[in-house]
Amino acid sequence: MRNILITGGAGFIGSHLVRLMVNKYPQYKIVNLDLLTYAGNLENLRDVEKCPNYRFIKGDICDYELVASLIKNHNIDSVIHLAAESHVDRSIVDPFSFARTNVMGTLTLLQAAKNIWKERDEKFAGNLFYHVSTDEVYGSLEAEGTFFTEDTKYDPHSPYSASKASSDHFVRAYHDTYGLPVVISNCSNNYGSYQFPEKLIPLFINNIVNNKPLPVYGKGENVRDWLYVQDHASAIDLIFHKGHNGETYNIGGFNEWKNIDLIKVIIKTVDKLLGREAGSSEKLITYVTDRAGHDLRYAIDSSKLHNELGWSPSLQFEEGIEKTVKWYLENKDWMDRVTSGDYLKYYREMYGHDTY
Ligand code: NAD
Ligand code: DAU
């Protein structure tokens, strides 16, 4: 029996994790705390919202009183923390929101968990604060054949990655200073269903469908290491249950793609599924000004997770990307709603109100 507070559970990765935990562990209570920013959407969790072991709370991780009362009233013993501002381009325009949510929000959760759990047991028996982080904290790799390991020095470049690096440091500080049981995982780029279409893959699928330009930053030569989102959720599940206190685990699929090559795979897949002439949508590729401070290459070495806990990704990329493209094509309503902002109206129709 566990009572777990998952933050950011209405977002992309969070919704996959909530679904996995609610279905796999009917004996656990899962409390999902999410502010429902533009990136959070209760429609992502429609299939589990009536499960007896699931509760949704609309609220801000920066609100100490709220977080503390949730931990107390739901007898929360563990936190899996995903809530964040997550898009690099937005962080360039509005870095303060990233410092607020990612740094102050994480600190608020740590402080509330530490204070309430300590009242229950001096030694934090049965408690865990699991912080979900990113490979971007490690900076950028140059050469092929080098990888981020858990020992790579932090070297964040964007306001987003700086805020995530800072939150990771706070988590470790609470472990070292107060003895709070913690684990951190740093994952590579995720892809799959329910991702807000500001990120490369859903944005480009949507633009191809609508014959809109595909804005490739710089020369399209940056490299990312792509992991199917459900494999990230399965890694979090494993680390939550079997990870060692105070440890960090890198999560990645050894699946590097140069942006322009990945974009061509997406085009090929969408064209095929829409019955268009192969590669005909390549004409939509439009090279645009590069992202400021654009990291060249991310590549994760996840051998610690594989060797110590036995995790491996379940899906080959070709299969994962085809499933993903199909999902967006079959869920055009979802895409239209999240891009138009109509999902607030959708909440009202579905639930009778738009806030919880
Ligand atoms: P997302 O942007 O899709 O979702 C973030 C969620 O957090 C949303 O539901 C949003 O409403 C919620 N949220 C934002 N501010 C909040 C606040 N103040 N209080 C409560 N809830 C708030 O993000 P994602 O892509 O699912 O990423 C989830 C986590 O995983 C983040 O911490 C991110 O840094 C990390 N991560 C993401 C990736 C990736 O490829 N997307 C890779 C590695 C790590
Ligand atoms: O590595 C993990 C990170 O992956 C997560 O921590 C972040 O939350 C997540 O957003 C993602 O960050 P990226 O910046 O790598 O993802 P994004 O989808 O924004 O961009 C992927 C690559 O594609 C990157 O090199 C920038 C490029 N790009 C992106 C967009 C949105 C384009 O060329 N054009 C675009 O329009």
Side-chain angles (χ1 to χ4, degrees):
M1 178 67 197
R2 306 289 293 257
N3 296 330
I4 307 171
L5 177 66
I6 296 184
T7 70
F12 166 48
I13 301 167
S15 61
H16 284 278
L17 180 70
V18 165
R19 181 173 300 104
L20 182 156
M21 299 295 276
V22 167
N23 288 327
K24 188 169 171 186
Y25 303 106
Q27 73 278 26
Y28 291 4
K29 177 159 80 175
I30 305 297
V31 178
N32 172 14
L33 171 64
D34 196 298
L35 188 57
L36 299 181
T37 68
Y38 78 95
N41 186 349
L42 287 181
E43 203 183 333
N44 300 357
L45 287 166
R46 215 174 167 183
D47 51 329
V48 295
E49 67 187 7
K50 296 210 165 68
C51 292
N53 61 336
Y54 172 69
R55 280 290 306 276
F56 173 73
I57 310 288
K58 181 176 188 284
D60 191 341
I61 56 166
C62 299
D63 179 345
Y64 181 89
E65 296 307 322
L66 170 70
V67 172
S69 73
L70 287 179
I71 295 175
K72 257 191 201 143
N73 298 339
H74 291 276
N75 203 17
I76 295 295
D77 52 61
S78 311
V79 174
I80 308 181
H81 173 37
L82 295 96
E85 289 294 337
S86 68
H87 191 42
V88 173
D89 293 321
R90 284 181 190 254
S91 82
I92 296 167
V93 179
D94 180 18
F96 283 89
S97 300
F98 284 68
R100 180 187 180 276
T101 300
N102 300 359
V103 184
M104 291 306 293
T106 303
L107 183 53
T108 304
L109 285 165
L110 285 164
Q111 179 74 353
K114 187 262 290 175
N115 285 349
I116 289 150
W117 291 344
K118 208 173 169 61
E119 278 170 19
R120 289 186 198 148
D121 182 297
E122 272 290 306
K123 294 206 162 77
F124 300 110
N127 297 141
L128 181 64
F129 191 100
Y130 183 148
H131 180 56
V132 174
S133 193
T134 171
D135 61 357
E136 299 203 13
V137 298
Y138 297 126
S140 182
L141 294 164
E142 286 291 340
E144 281 180 26
T146 53
F147 295 90
F148 297 135
T149 72
E150 288 80 2
D151 297 324
T152 303
K153 277 215 163 74
Y154 276 31
D155 182 24
H157 298 140
S158 72
Y160 164 68
S161 53
S163 68
K164 291 296 291 187
S166 173
S167 65
D168 292 10
H169 291 319
F170 270 108
V171 173
R172 291 199 182 92
Y174 268 66
H175 177 69
D176 295 346
T177 307
Y178 307 108
L180 190 74
V182 306
V183 282
I184 299 178
S185 57
N186 296 83
C187 188
S188 61
N189 286 62
N190 286 213
Y191 70 97
S193 52
Y194 298 112
Q195 187 171 30
F196 192 81
E198 62 187 351
K199 308 279 167 63
L200 180 76
I201 292 183
L203 174 72
F204 277 37
I205 294 171
N206 196 35
N207 284 10
I208 298 167
V209 170
N210 294 306
N211 281 307
K212 284 164 70 177
L214 306 175
V216 180
Y217 298 163
K219 295 188 176 134
E221 283 175 353
N222 304 68
V223 174
R224 296 292 182 266
D225 180 356
W226 293 93
L227 181 70
Y228 194 57
V229 62
Q230 287 174 16
D231 282 327
H232 187 185
S234 79
I236 294 173
D237 174 24
L238 182 66
I239 294 167
F240 176 77
H241 287 96
K242 299 265 168 26
H244 300 295
N245 183 9
E247 289 292 314
T248 294
Y249 298 89
N250 280 354
I251 311 173
F254 289 107
N255 179 40
E256 289 180 58
W257 285 84
K258 209 179 254 192
N259 286 346
I260 192 63
D261 296 336
L262 172 71
I263 289 161
K264 287 182 181 165
V265 171
I266 297 168
I267 290 172
K268 198 171 135 208
T269 313
V270 179
D271 280 349
K272 183 181 89 180
L273 292 172
L274 288 182
R276 291 182 186 170
E277 192 187 326
S280 61
S281 300
E282 284 193 17
K283 63 178 182 300
L284 299 171
I285 291 176
T286 310
Y287 290 93
V288 299
T289 309
D290 207 355
R291 174 185 275 173
H294 198 172
D295 287 333
L296 179 65
R297 174 171 169 257
Y298 303 146
I300 275 275
D301 178 350
S302 55
S303 46
K304 174 176 172 182
L305 182 58
H306 177 75
N307 296 338
E308 289 186 13
L309 304 186
W311 176 86
S312 301
S314 68
L315 272 192
Q316 292 299 312
F317 184 66
E318 290 66 23
E319 193 186 343
I321 201 75
E322 177 134 351
K323 270 176 92 154
T324 301
V325 171
K326 267 194 188 137
W327 188 87
Y328 286 102
L329 297 184
E330 285 164 6
N331 289 276
K332 205 174 164 310
D333 291 2
W334 179 92
M335 183 64 95
D336 290 345
R337 274 193 293 272
V338 299
T339 48
S340 67
D342 271 1
Y343 61 96
L344 291 178
K345 187 167 143 255
Y346 177 84
Y347 286 157
R348 248 171 262 130
E349 281 163 8
M350 190 162 67
Y351 300 106
H353 49 88
D354 60 1
T355 56
Y356 271 65

